[in-house]
Amino acid sequence: MKDTILIIGASGQIGTELVITLRKIYGDANVIATDILPMANEELSTGPFEVLDILDQKSLFDIVKKYNVTQVYLLAALLSATAEKNIELGWNLNMRSLSHVLDLAREKHIKKVYWPSSIAVFGPSTPSILTPQRTIMEPNTVYGISKLAGERWCEYYHEKFSVDVRSIRYPGLIGWKSAPGGGTTDYAVHIFHEALKSGQYTSFLSDDTTLPMMHMNDAIRATLEIMEAPAESIKIRSSYNVAGLSFSPKELADEIQKHIPDFKMSYESDYRQAIADSWPKSIYDSEAKTDWNWKSSFNLQELTSDMLTNIKTLVNQ
Ligand code: NAD
Ligand code: SER
């Protein structure tokens, strides 16, 4: 039987790109895009789109039955910065959405689940350089606490109910097709748009705040690779570390200046600085490499050049 895929939170930064890629593989009609917001992006109009609030369990069930859904990619969440401003919604959305989807799998209505975790599961007491898969995890943000709890639930549902759930701890994701949705790493997308538009950018993180990041193409490829891997090779059912590259705002600005010599960068840290300071600077991902052959492909030079070229083309269209 051919798989039918439901994407929840399809209008977001990752969802937009994932829908486009999955439709190329599974066919437009077999990838159902859903979001709490009405369709805002033309690119999602190539196949089915439904408005769905993931907190509405009955509507989720009805859509799964209507389209005979076999796989769910759950992307709806409040990200780190937004969740700090709305603790109750952050916890409720990030937890309830996951339990609704895991329960569908437990009751055998769907076969496979993808749910992303984050580097936010780590906290200030975690070793911050080449952070290993298994280490001290004491997150001090609403978002990080919800992701760590989510990881424990994924492993629990796999062990107790044989749910085939797969997950990656994404670093900050950087892509040109879609806008970021309220995270601490958003500066690393906004900076490219502002560099091209106004030639200047004020970073809300200090110049030396090094964080793990990843080009969106690598993130989408990692997502497809973990979902396509044979079940027996997915040995970690909480969530896998994956590394892309690490850089600070100053290092990114320096790289952009190689393309736009007059680009001016300034720094005004806000509440997101404390979130960033609690996260790792770099990630060690040997388990993902060994278990399902993960390998990143973008360095800072390639990422910068790709972002500037594509955003320039987009703006001139
Ligand atoms: P985003 O904020 O860009 O998109 C989330 C989408 O969910 C939005 O389109 C929003 O409208 C939708 N949504 C919100 N509430 C909803 C509800 N009640 N029902 C249905 N949809 C709802 O987020 P993203 O960056 O695409 O992230 C997707 C997932 O990946 C999240 O779980 C996030 O934690 C995780 N992640 C993202 C990054 C990153 O850098 N973007 C890094 C690590 C982990
Ligand atoms: N990029 C995400 C954020 O900043 C990390 O999960 O919230």
Side-chain angles (χ1 to χ4, degrees):
M1 192 181 83
K2 202 158 187 257
D3 276 306
T4 303
I5 295 178
L6 177 66
I7 315 257
I8 299 164
S11 301
Q13 189 193 11
I14 302 171
T16 308
E17 301 228 19
L18 203 52
V19 169
I20 296 166
T21 309
L22 285 170
R23 282 185 176 160
K24 282 188 192 137
I25 300 168
Y26 289 89
D28 288 344
N30 298 316
V31 178
I32 322 304
T34 69
D35 202 283
I36 196 169
L37 302 173
M39 184 172 16
N41 189 325
E42 266 291 290
E43 293 209 75
L44 299 185
S45 65
T46 56
F49 183 96
E50 301 259 2
V51 172
L52 170 68
D53 178 353
I54 182 59
L55 297 179
D56 178 352
Q57 201 168 10
K58 174 158 186 326
S59 296
L60 168 66
F61 184 78
D62 290 346
I63 288 177
V64 165
K65 288 298 153 194
K66 176 178 170 186
Y67 292 98
N68 293 317
V69 169
T70 57
Q71 297 187 17
V72 172
Y73 287 65
L74 171 58
L75 305 174
L78 281 203
L79 271 71
S80 57
T82 318
E84 286 308 297
K85 299 271 181 200
N86 195 340
I87 297 175
E88 205 174 321
L89 180 62
W91 177 248
N92 195 33
L93 173 61
N94 295 5
M95 288 291 90
R96 273 293 138 238
S97 58
L98 182 59
S99 72
H100 287 171
V101 172
L102 289 176
D103 280 338
L104 280 177
R106 173 188 175 179
E107 290 155 12
K108 312 279 180 237
H109 297 295
I110 54 173
K111 291 194 302 196
K112 218 190 249 188
V113 175
Y114 179 76
W115 171 81
S117 185
S118 161
I119 53 162
V121 290
F122 302 114
S125 54
T126 302
S128 69
I129 309 285
L130 291 176
T131 301
Q133 175 71 38
R134 295 180 180 85
T135 182
I136 301 166
M137 296 167 89
E138 297 177 329
N140 62 0
T141 62
V142 177
Y143 177 70
I145 294 166
S146 74
K147 288 294 183 187
L148 182 54
E151 287 192 8
R152 303 321 305 152
W153 280 118
C154 288
E155 190 180 286
Y156 184 89
Y157 270 65
H158 177 72
E159 285 184 0
K160 305 285 177 191
F161 311 123
S162 304
V163 167
D164 188 355
V165 55
R166 301 165 185 218
S167 177
I168 286 173
R169 292 172 181 154
Y170 291 132
L173 302 184
I174 303 169
W176 52 270
K177 285 190 192 147
S178 48
T184 301
T185 56
D186 291 11
Y187 90 86
V189 178
H190 294 146
I191 190 174
F192 289 104
H193 292 273
E194 285 305 318
L196 287 166
K197 201 163 73 184
S198 63
Q200 55 187 6
Y201 182 69
T202 303
S203 168
F204 56 76
L205 299 181
S206 66
D207 59 350
D208 59 350
T209 308
T210 299
L211 287 171
M213 301 281 189
M214 183 177 281
H215 192 287
M216 185 61 87
N217 291 6
D218 273 355
I220 298 291
R221 185 169 52 78
T223 307
L224 299 183
E225 285 174 2
I226 194 175
M227 284 300 272
E228 283 161 9
E232 59 278 11
S233 60
I234 306 301
K235 301 198 172 67
I236 293 173
R237 294 298 184 149
S238 51
S239 192
Y240 277 92
N241 274 11
V242 288
L245 66 167
S246 287
F247 56 79
S248 67
K250 165 93 170 62
E251 286 164 335
L252 181 54
D254 287 348
E255 196 54 42
I256 291 174
Q257 272 160 359
K258 291 183 188 162
H259 299 258
I260 308 171
D262 292 338
F263 174 61
K264 299 253 173 329
M265 181 81 156
S266 53
Y267 303 90
E268 272 174 37
S269 294
D270 65 15
Y271 72 100
R272 289 168 281 194
Q273 185 67 49
I275 302 176
D277 288 344
S278 77
W279 289 353
K281 296 185 192 309
S282 59
I283 297 290
Y284 191 62
D285 60 357
S286 61
E287 283 81 355
K289 285 177 173 150
T290 304
D291 292 356
W292 44 277
N293 299 319
W294 163 245
K295 192 171 184 302
S296 70
S297 66
F298 279 81
N299 62 30
L300 183 57
Q301 292 71 30
E302 290 161 341
L303 181 143
T304 305
S305 164
D306 179 82
M307 287 294 287
L308 290 172
T309 308
N310 282 300
I311 295 170
K312 218 184 285 176
T313 310
L314 208 62
V315 169
N316 293 332
Q317 268 172 7

